[in-house]
Amino acid sequence: MSRLEAKKPSLCKSEPLTTERVRTTLSVLKRIVTSCYGPSGRLKQLHNGFGGYVCTTSQSSALLSHLLVTHPILKILTTSIQNHVSSFSDCGLFTAILCCNLIENVQRLGLTPTTVIRLNKHLLSLCISYLKSETCGCRIPVDFSSTHILLCLVRSILTSKPACMLTRKETEHVSALILRAFLLTIPENAEGHIILGKSLIVPLKGQRVIDSTVLPGILIEMSEVQLMRLLPIKKSTALKVALFCTTLSGDISDTGEGTVVVSYGVSLENAVLDQLLNLGRQLISDHVDLVLCQKVIHPSLKQFLNMHRIIAIDRIGVTLMEPLTKMTGTQPIGSLGSICPNSYGSVKDVCTAKFGSKHFFHLIPNEATICSLLLCNRNDTAWDELKLTCQTALHVLQLTLKEPWALLGGGCTETHLAAYIRHKTHNDPESILKDDECTQTELQLIAEAFCSALESVVGSLEHDGGDILTDMKYGHLWSVQADSPCVANWPDLLSQCGCGLYNSQEELNWSFLRSTRHPFVPQSCLPHEAVGSASNLILDCLTAKLSGLQVAIETANLILDLSYVIEDKN
Amino acid sequence: MLSSMAAAGSVKAALQVAEVLEAIVSCCVGPEGRQVLCTKPTGEVLLSRNGGRLLEALHLEHPIARMIVDCVSSHLKKTGDGAKTFIIFLCHLLRGLHAITDREKDPLMCENIQTQGRHWKNCSRWKFISQALLTFQTQILDGIMDQYLSRHFLSIFSSAKERTLCRSSLELLLEAYFCGRVGRNNHKFISQLMCDYFFKCMTCKSGIGVFELVDDHFVELNVGVTGLPVSDSRIIAGLVLQKDFSVYRPADGDMRMVIVTETIQPLFSTSGSEFILNSEAQFQTSQFWIMEKTKAIMKHLHSQNVKLLISSVKQPDLVIYYAGVNGISVVECLSSEEVSLIRRIIGLSPFVPPQAFSQCEIPNTALVKFCKPLILRSKRYVHLGLISTCAFIPHSIVLCGPVQGLIEQHEDALHGALKMLRQLFKDLDLNYMTQTNDQNGTSSLFIYKNSGESYQAPDPGNGSIQRPYQDTVVENKDALEKTQTYLKVHSNLVIPDVELETYIPYSTPTLTPTDTFQTVETLTCLSLERNRLTDYYEPLLKNNSTAYSTRGNRIEISYENLQVTNITRKGSMLPVSCKLPNMGTSQSYLSSSMPAGCVLPVGGNFEILLHYYLLNYAKKCHQSEETMVSMIIANALLGIPKVLYKSKTGKYSFPHTYIRAVHALQTNQPLVSSQTGLESVMGKYQLLTSVLQCLTKILTIDMVITVKRHPQKVHNQDSEDEL
């Protein structure tokens, strides 16, 4: 019975951004995300006061999904970042920090929202067109014929997640595994558009990271007893597979809306079992070697099949159905009656495997686009973090395959972009303003707020009290350790820029990031040889970063545009 | 157990409520308006600039406020626009009324109105005013719209005759609409999207039916994708269903589809029947029969080139399996709305599995251009290329945004724009019908019916009337001297504006042909022609029929060509009987028409124009209450441009704009608008009438009784039950 209740009136607040409460909550969120950012970011331990699961992380996806945000403005901010992360996996913290910084910086200016939003939009389109242009000085082409750049990309992602607790050697190992797993999902002879396979991540907790491995095909976990019972198959040719999506337990399926009256003495169970055994006979006569069932197989049928040297595995679960269909080339069977001969598939071979304490039944495919990544880590929380990181890396590789470019990481893209925007707004403001009613002063103010927001994202890479500098030629980022003597002999103190592309031996001018500089033209068009020679580059995914940039600015614009908040208190 | 509380329902109370609402609403009105964030009780957040949504989200307690919100909602449901303007206008009207009753505070009011005000105070003045308002709305407003305002109207159509839509005008119209509806960084993009969608979906023959279809099924026609920037939104040819294939088999060539609304697999028993199982063998054979039957149906579908099965229910595994075996893709569990949309597009009725088998062709199949999975942000959708049998060419909108709340706002705004356009084009279809009926001479009844419904029947058939009408003008001129009429010529118009008034005792047939030409920037001209001829058949009139026919010779000539509207005057038809001084003589009722697609430039043009003409009208008025109501409405109308120009300074501030406009009107010069953009006259007119109706509703209330139910009462009952 439904209950009617009078609705409580809503709470309506004007100019929400100016209130102290919103400001403090925003700055708290900013502190949380800023402190997590980068390879030296601090970890957050999230746990429920009532006990249960503890999560140690520095990733935005894990962080934001565990945080309980109540204020509607913050909710807008966090959901928009979560949505970004769920579609691009990467650059969540970057987006969050940029958005918070932008809101904070712009608020200080006190310009009207109309002007701010209009100019922010102009600056954003300036950034995007630059990052997509041929002359862009902070992106490099990804060469799929060598693993060098791809490995750099994966390694950058792994190192930026300190909660995975990997040593340098382990990082190298896992990066290589991820890349292998990704390459295994690409079909060998693809024409036209490629349909990528899938990498399944199989958990192995409590093992050394170095024990992680990649195997082509699918691993089905089983108990040792079950595995012992399976008879070894000796066959030189491929094995014939039947995959059932319907239950083989002997349940009587849907009988319709009317009633079914069963006379005394009639046993439907027997009737169904007869039917199942008939099915078994058909499978035998069709020379099937392996029967897989998503749901439950009736023990009698199982035994019957085993007697005829057919391996029967049930309770596969719905998640494995799609990869299994893809790998074996079967058509999931939904009938207990006659089976169409073309719905059978095949695998190359099967074997049993033991990893750590777990036993697996391993299906080896004829042609691999499905692979299993056995991922080990010492404890649960570190494993969870590593798994998320691996998924991110695999996704980033897929995105890079679609758009084969990478951005220079380690903060160099941001400082370079900021230098470009400063230069552009300073030297050519007319092209940006064009037909708008905004003045040049307004543009300068907003551009400064925008650039300093970008630069403070980079500033949050440094957590140990060091200083951040930028050079006046490339506009890259250079960090210097804390309490180093403040002398002008920069080339000795600085070794490499943030992304690792340039070293300090070149004749460069440096200045502190926070100090005021003259706008300069950052060198565009990367030299090819520079990219080839650099051994250990830090790279970011172009697609994810571009989207992150757009989402951050769009969300900031949205929040700055709010004039009222109406809270429904029901 | 009941306690009541009564409060005088006064203009003051209503004004207080309206002022609070105005404060909230005016922050998001117009191009400078800002966003409002609403939270739902479920914790979701919604961004909105839609006045209706905001008012509903407030969950107001005050009874008058609730009534106002109800009025706004019902107005919005019809027109999809104007909620914020509604509140602002209503508030200004109430302010005007309040000022009148405050005698001391109102030096502007002239002497006789003050005495009149005192008079009202004594005898239920509010009811009187509300009646005067109603009289104004039903009898005066239309006349002013028609006689004065119509000459300023522009048309959205590039040619009035063929009603071909001008893209640039539509762009201007939509841009102005979205300016007030979505965030300012997105309005250009969204209006472009809507414009593209409109032109992609409509064929040149598309009529009102397409609007209905898109309006009814707008939810099914768009897909929201979170996590992508707004600029990734796009239009996709074909229909996107928010489902994944249960089984997908790529196919090409001659593809057919069927729709089913029940499971294909025969079941043991249908509802209400009983199936008796006597032996195990019987069970097995019936199972076997079911299997074979399903297999045969699917094979049969396959043989008829059916490659796609769309089902509104979940199909058993067996059906899915045999579909896959036979190369048929299956989409299951579609909502009834989705199924009805598909059926409306392709005109297909559901497939019913045949009882007896034959190799004959299945009647209910339809050709499909393509059917394939569509991946949007790693979620899979079904993408169908339907071949439309109606005027609608199926296209889907993919709306992207960083958060769901923003996508919902855009969806809402697009839907509203569609409603607005539907209103604007409303009489497209009817026009066509009256045009053909015109020759048959049966149009008068039909048109009258329409004008009764919307009070505004657009005038069709300009083309057919044009030539004969010019002839009548010539004839009229000859006859002018004979009958006592006057002729007024407007120098700024291309064709003289002729106003003819013949005075005959007991009857007032008026013939007012008007032809207006105007050009504004890129807009093409609208030739707006007015032909009005009204007779009154009264029993009394019959005595004069001879005099009438002899005097009105020339009028009879034009009868065949001009559109004739007869209004039989009956007492019951008049909503309010007015105290006219010349009660004995008959009143003149005009039936007017406004063609579909009338627009005016944005920026308060409509309001300023109406204000100007209402003031002029008020000067001519003899009756004090009529003057007063007109004055109040005229002044309240200015409240809207005042809000719109709030942020503007200098040359573009409101006083400057207003003075410029009035000067232009006085010197018969065309109005120059500082803003580009158009708005629907139809929408404005409907808004005006809705507000006036709401106001009359408020004024007729004299007491608000709050009934409070004590919570104890429920408790008592409970405890009694327990005992």
Side-chain angles (χ1 to χ4, degrees), chain B residues 213 216-224 239-244 257-261 310-313 331-348 379-384 386 392 394 396:
Chain B
L213 190 138
D216 292 350
H217 291 286
F218 196 72
V219 183
E220 285 78 44
L221 286 168
N222 68 66
V223 185
L239 190 65
V240 178
L241 298 174
Q242 307 202 24
K243 292 274 168 348
D244 191 10
M257 65 173 274
V258 286
I259 300 175
V260 289
T261 50
I310 284 182
S311 166
S312 58
V313 293
V331 187
E332 297 174 289
C333 308
L334 287 180
S335 68
S336 57
E337 286 84 13
E338 284 167 323
V339 172
S340 90
L341 173 65
I342 295 170
R343 288 182 56 184
R344 273 174 84 169
I345 293 172
I346 58 174
L348 184 71
K379 209 182 149 197
R380 277 202 291 214
Y381 298 87
V382 174
H383 189 191
L384 292 181
L386 301 172
F392 172 70
S396 294

Side-chain angles (χ1 to χ4, degrees), chain A residues 123-133 417 546 549-550:
Chain A
L123 294 176
L124 173 66
S125 56
L126 200 65
C127 288
I128 286 173
S129 57
Y130 178 66
L131 288 178
K132 283 186 171 172
S133 75
L417 202 58
L546 267 181
L549 194 67
Q550 287 185 56

